[in-house]
Amino acid sequence: MAGRSKKKAAGSKKVKPSGPVPCAVLWGLDPSVERGAAVRAVLKEMGVVARTVLPERLGDPAGAFARLVGFRPSPLPYSGPAPACEEFVLLCGLTDAQVNEFLARSREAGCSVGHKALLTKVNRAWPLVRLMDAVAAEHAANS
């Protein structure tokens, strides 16, 4: 019986999850196109998961793409207007060093994406299309 309780104690030990895996959410960067393949290659070299956004998922909260606890895809497919930007990268869960590495490697590979954002506490609840449009508007204002 003593062996039993040890097994039970070891088996019931809770392991704290390490959190979401760093990922990059990609829009307009099809893997079959050279540019999309190049961006994915940079991410793969860095060990960052690439997730492609389908048009019907544009209404999902940005946090759902990062698989954050408490964020779920929208129950209905998105049917609104297309986003204001043709290409977009949302970086989720990367450290500052990883973000800088991604930017540098993208420049070196000739596949820098103009519209990009970091997932934050503020924007993680926004529908992805809203975030993309906000980034596009910011770029337009600064041009």
Side-chain angles (χ1 to χ4, degrees):
M1 288 210 181
R4 236 187 195 176
S5 62
K6 283 184 183 178
K7 284 183 184 177
K8 200 174 197 182
S12 65
K13 186 177 181 182
K14 291 187 178 182
V15 177
K16 186 176 180 180
S18 60
V21 174
C23 70
V25 179
L26 308 177
W27 169 258
L29 294 160
D30 192 285
S32 64
V33 178
E34 185 177 342
R35 187 172 176 76
V39 169
R40 283 173 169 71
V42 167
L43 292 166
K44 186 175 182 178
E45 289 170 8
M46 293 177 58
V48 176
V49 174
R51 297 193 176 126
T52 303
V53 179
L54 300 174
E56 62 269 18
R57 302 285 27 122
L58 286 168
D60 292 0
F65 289 98
R67 301 191 177 147
L68 296 178
V69 174
F71 290 88
R72 297 178 188 253
S74 176
L76 299 173
Y78 179 75
S79 60
C85 50
E86 292 182 23
E87 296 178 340
F88 181 79
V89 175
L90 175 62
L91 300 173
C92 309
L94 276 68
T95 64
D96 288 345
Q98 288 173 310
V99 170
N100 292 333
E101 180 183 358
F102 171 73
L103 297 174
R105 284 184 178 213
S106 295
R107 278 190 300 274
E108 289 170 13
C111 62
S112 290
V113 178
H115 294 92
K116 51 195 159 293
L118 299 175
L119 186 69
T120 67
K121 288 182 179 182
V122 173
N123 66 24
R124 65 185 179 182
W126 295 6
L128 187 63
V129 70
R130 176 181 170 202
L131 176 55
M132 294 167 69
D133 288 344
V135 169
E138 185 179 321
H139 277 251
N142 292 332
S143 296

